Amino acid sequence: MDWMREAFWLTRKDGAPGIDGVTAQDYEANLEANLLGLLERIKSGRYRAPPVRRAYIPKADGSQRMLGIPTFEDKVAQRAVTMMLEAVYEQDFLPCSYGFRPGRSAHQALRTLQSVLWAKRLYWVIDIDIRKYFDSISHSHLRTFLDQRVTDGVIRRMIDKWLNAGAVENGLLRRTTEGSPQGGVISPCLSNVFLHYVLDEWFETVVKPRLGGESLLVRFADDAIMAFDNLVDAQRVLAALGKRLARFGLTLHPDKTRLVDFRPHMTESARHPETDGTNFDFLGFTHVWGRSRKGKSMVRQVTAKGRLARAVAAVSDWCRQHRHEPIRDQHRHLSSMMRGHFAYYGVGGNIRRLRGFAHQVGRIWRKWLSRRDRQSVVTWTRFNELLKRHPLPSAKIAHGYATASESHS
């Protein structure tokens, strides 16, 4: 029961309800009895995993990402099993894996990538994009991987029930034979297990010993970058990578998977003819070459244009929908959006794009304040007076590892 209580408190309470409509507040009203009943059903094998409620969210490229929304009780059960799996697999997972692991973060992955590209001169980069990864995870291969470390019958039955639960879409139940839809609490852990065997171990134990030079793999969930110090190694690995993934039912996206010539200050016309582009995106940042304060070449991480456009569009949509709310409430929410943006994208060397975002927020806010009604045209003079009373957050650097690397060089 202590384990179940911990799982409950670690489960997000603000998520959308599943197919039963039960919210976290509803469940908490009779918490002890609910958790006791859940625990007994799990241990006895009587627990029936309900189908997830399927939803879709738009992606930057115009396609849609499929989400599976479990019931709240199912989220608690998944959290309990995930806690157990993490205790087992944290002993096995490799340092190259950063996503959805305790004590590891996207910025640690970004810091490692930036410093190693720069220090070890790994200028030939494979930007890996696995097509519809979460929808393509082979259940049979996943079970084979789990067999190596997880043999407890209760845990394995629960995982199988979630894999086979299916999804409700437009009132129809659809069974699934592959995939782990994003949205389930246990999905990130299972996806890490899958790619640990398919990609991480293969790269570290099979690929690296056969290469002629230095190499690096950095992976965050299904986003991965490989970097090499010579073109031949990069081409050999890229040729083998698609075959490796195909063995386990995965495919590389043919347009988004690229071999990049990332040598310092290469122009598009001067790059190697067998490569595609001179910079690459990873975890929302475009990696480019710039100059340090001392005039030395260094790797810069700047907000990717697509992510910046998405953030600006989100601000515009919110201002349009809430333009009639009190100024104080609008200011509070916009400030929160800006602080969240700066908290993630505030890395050294990115201050120009942070300031650009801040400027866009001010411009958009003034625009929609002017459209509250016909008499509420807000001139820049009036708006600047308003900002004195309700100042928006200033752009700031939250992660100074680029500056630290610069001084170290």
Side-chain angles (χ1 to χ4, degrees):
M1 277 297 289
D2 289 340
W3 191 272
M4 299 305 294
R5 290 188 194 97
E6 180 71 10
F8 170 80
W9 292 116
L10 289 175
T11 302
R12 282 185 57 181
K13 309 300 188 295
D14 57 350
I19 60 171
D20 62 357
V22 175
T23 65
Q25 292 71 30
D26 298 334
Y27 197 81
E28 189 175 5
N30 197 16
L31 183 60
E32 289 296 307
N34 286 334
L35 291 181
L36 183 60
L38 175 60
L39 179 59
E40 290 176 346
R41 281 179 283 137
I42 290 175
K43 292 169 69 175
S44 66
R46 293 185 294 109
Y47 182 80
R48 298 184 64 181
V52 298
R53 180 167 63 85
R54 184 163 289 176
Y56 296 87
I57 58 174
K59 296 174 66 175
D61 60 4
S63 62
Q64 291 186 318
R65 174 176 284 123
M66 184 172 64
L67 288 180
I69 304 174
T71 64
F72 183 78
E73 181 175 69
D74 205 43
K75 291 178 184 178
V76 175
Q78 289 189 33
R79 175 59 63 193
V81 173
T82 298
M83 288 160 53
M84 191 284 299
L85 291 178
E86 287 176 347
V88 172
Y89 280 104
E90 277 304 306
Q91 304 171 63
D92 299 352
F93 286 158
L94 300 177
C96 61
S97 166
Y98 291 87
F100 303 106
R101 293 179 57 188
R104 309 206 111 204
S105 69
H107 284 99
Q108 289 176 332
L110 289 163
R111 179 173 188 165
T112 298
L113 182 61
Q114 186 217 39
S115 61
V116 174
L117 287 175
W118 189 6
K120 293 191 175 182
R121 301 180 179 178
L122 306 184
Y123 297 156
W124 305 96
V125 175
I126 300 177
D127 183 1
I128 300 171
D129 188 284
I130 302 174
R131 174 180 275 173
K132 295 185 177 179
Y133 170 64
F134 283 89
D135 304 336
S136 305
I137 295 175
S138 164
H139 290 180
S140 61
H141 286 302
L142 177 60
R143 291 188 180 99
T144 300
F145 296 147
L146 290 169
D147 285 343
Q148 300 181 37
R149 294 291 274 127
V150 183
T151 56
D152 182 275
V154 172
I155 300 300
R156 291 302 299 273
R157 277 200 306 270
M158 290 296 290
I159 294 174
D160 280 343
K161 288 176 180 179
W162 287 317
L163 292 177
N164 297 325
V168 172
E169 184 175 1
N170 297 325
L172 298 176
L173 175 62
R174 302 177 186 274
R175 294 296 179 184
T176 54
T177 57
E178 62 180 13
S180 179
Q182 290 167 278
V185 175
I186 201 170
S187 292
C189 185
L190 294 180
S191 70
N192 266 342
V193 171
F194 199 84
L195 282 182
H196 167 72
Y197 290 103
V198 173
L199 189 62
D200 302 356
E201 276 200 341
W202 172 73
F203 185 81
E204 294 294 335
T205 63
V206 178
V207 173
K208 270 191 171 183
R210 291 169 168 78
L211 299 180
E214 291 273 357
S215 61
L216 169 75
L217 167 65
V218 176
R219 181 177 67 81
F220 190 97
D222 61 326
D223 290 331
I225 294 289
M226 292 179 180
F228 308 84
D229 68 1
N230 67 84
L231 176 60
V232 174
D233 281 350
Q235 291 174 321
R236 287 175 59 201
V237 174
L238 181 57
L241 180 60
K243 299 174 185 176
R244 171 67 181 179
L245 296 181
R247 283 182 55 190
F248 301 94
L250 303 176
T251 56
L252 290 172
H253 196 295
D255 300 324
K256 296 180 180 179
T257 300
R258 305 181 301 139
L259 175 56
V260 177
D261 183 348
F262 196 62
R263 289 176 292 175
H265 308 296
M266 292 295 295
T267 62
E268 190 64 32
S269 59
R271 69 174 174 83
H272 195 282
E274 296 183 35
T275 61
D276 180 10
T278 58
N279 54 57
F280 63 93
D281 291 355
F282 183 59
L283 298 180
F285 289 88
T286 300
H287 292 66
V288 298
W289 282 96
R291 298 286 183 186
S292 72
R293 295 171 185 171
K294 298 178 181 179
K296 297 181 180 180
S297 295
M298 67 175 295
V299 178
R300 295 281 191 193
Q301 294 169 324
V302 300
T303 312
K305 290 182 179 179
R307 293 294 185 91
L308 181 59
R310 190 193 311 175
V312 170
V315 170
S316 184
D317 287 345
W318 190 90
C319 287
R320 176 177 56 82
Q321 295 174 20
H322 298 85
R323 63 186 181 273
H324 296 295
E325 291 187 4
I327 297 293
R328 190 179 300 276
D329 293 343
Q330 292 188 42
H331 171 262
R332 184 185 304 113
H333 187 86
L334 289 174
S335 297
S336 177
M337 294 180 78
M338 294 176 73
R339 282 192 292 268
H341 186 88
F342 297 152
Y344 184 76
Y345 292 103
V347 303
N350 194 32
I351 192 66
R352 184 176 297 177
R353 292 206 174 174
L354 297 181
R355 288 171 177 162
F357 175 72
H359 173 75
Q360 290 278 45
V361 172
R363 184 186 61 80
I364 291 167
W365 193 21
R366 172 187 168 271
K367 168 188 170 181
W368 287 107
L369 287 177
S370 293
R371 297 188 180 185
R372 285 155 71 98
D373 54 56
R374 293 181 180 179
Q375 284 76 40
S376 63
V377 175
V378 179
T379 64
W380 277 108
T381 300
R382 284 183 60 193
F383 185 67
N384 288 331
E385 289 295 322
L386 181 149
L387 288 180
K388 290 179 181 179
R389 299 190 301 273
H390 304 284
L392 292 172
S394 300
K396 68 176 185 176
I397 301 300
H399 309 276
Y401 51 80
T403 305
S405 299
E406 177 187 327
S407 61
H408 175 71
S409 70

